Amino acid sequence: GEHVVRGPCADDAFDLDGMMAAHFFCPGCWKEIAQADLRCPHCGYLLEDFHGLSYEQKLILAVGHPVREHRMMAIRVLGSLRSQAAVAALGSLLDRETDYYVIREAVVALRKIGGTQALRRIERLRHHPSRLVRTLSRAALGGATDGQRARG
């Protein structure tokens, strides 16, 4: 039969028999946990606390999700919400992310969010090792001079 996955931290995967298997992740450390766990055995996060978070807070946590598509959706929605609270999480993501498409999604979100801190995070990408990311940073910042960006 079909296995129904419940919960915001679940990810679908197929086991070797082709049956749907559920993977559950701790929203505190994003390590895999058992569905029945009440507290993360890795970091101690009390899983019931997740349900008390606001939608925006859950999205900010999801920026660290191990599944790329979940990260990208959270980033996209945070940009659409113009979430100033997400700027730090998006900046941290840019410090560790290696997937160009996730980086691009974060840059687009930061551009939508706007403000000095968001634009500074984009500007820091001008020194990224990837030429594609450096080009993306310049395009996202447009023709503004350094002084105009800093005052933004």
Side-chain angles (χ1 to χ4, degrees), residues 72-124:
M72 289 185 67
M73 183 59 67
I75 294 165
R76 187 173 297 131
V77 173
L78 288 164
S80 295
L81 292 173
R82 291 174 168 65
S83 170
Q84 287 291 328
V87 171
L90 292 171
S92 293
L93 171 90
L94 291 175
D95 289 339
R96 67 181 182 277
E97 185 62 56
T98 58
D99 184 316
Y100 171 78
Y101 297 100
V102 176
I103 292 170
R104 184 178 69 184
E105 201 66 52
V107 168
V108 168
L110 286 166
R111 191 71 184 112
K112 285 181 182 176
I113 293 167
T116 303
Q117 292 305 314
L119 295 178
R120 282 187 181 146
R121 291 302 303 157
I122 296 170
E123 190 167 326
R124 283 179 57 181

Side-chain angles (χ1 to χ4, degrees), residues 16-45:
L16 295 177
D17 298 324
M19 300 297 292
M20 186 68 79
H23 294 271
F24 294 87
F25 299 96
C26 169
C29 68
W30 294 113
K31 291 185 178 167
E32 195 163 348
I33 59 173
Q35 181 178 3
D37 286 341
L38 299 176
R39 182 178 294 277
C40 176
H42 307 287
C43 73
Y45 187 88

Side-chain angles (χ1 to χ4, degrees), residues 127-141:
H127 306 291
H128 195 276
S130 165
R131 183 182 52 81
L132 284 174
V133 174
R134 291 191 306 268
T135 301
L136 174 67
S137 172
R138 282 193 302 274
L141 293 169

